[in-house]
């Protein structure tokens, strides 16, 4: 299952293959290189950043571009 992350440089939503967790990847949009944390760390951080109901869809694009 892909890991959904935003590029820290251009903020593009990406779907990174789970086998890339714990390694560096390049963003296909801006070619920025960034670290993909383990899936459990992403789940923890997304729980901390959870938006109130109704704001999630408008605040974040639903498309994630594969890396």
């Amino acid at each position: 299952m892909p890991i959904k992350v935003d590029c820290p440089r251009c903020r593009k939503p990406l779907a990174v293959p789970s086998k890339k967790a714990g390694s560096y990847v390049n963003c296909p949009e801006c070619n920025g290189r960034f670290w993909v944390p383990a899936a459990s760390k992403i789940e923890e951080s997304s729980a901390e950043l959870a938006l109130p109901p109704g704001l999630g869809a408008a605040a974040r694009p639903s498309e994630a571009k594969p890396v």
Side-chain angles (χ1 to χ4, degrees), residues 6-66:
D6 292 342
C7 172
R9 185 173 177 190
C10 69
R11 303 290 181 212
K12 186 77 175 174
L14 304 170
V16 179
S18 57
K19 67 181 181 180
K20 296 284 188 174
S23 65
Y24 285 97
V25 296
N26 288 349
C27 174
E29 288 294 312
C30 69
N31 205 30
R33 188 169 172 89
F34 64 95
W35 180 261
V36 178
S40 62
K41 293 188 184 237
I42 292 172
E43 291 169 5
E44 290 171 10
S45 65
S46 64
E48 293 173 8
L49 300 174
L51 295 173
L55 292 180
R60 180 177 222 169
S62 61
E63 288 186 33
K65 187 172 183 174

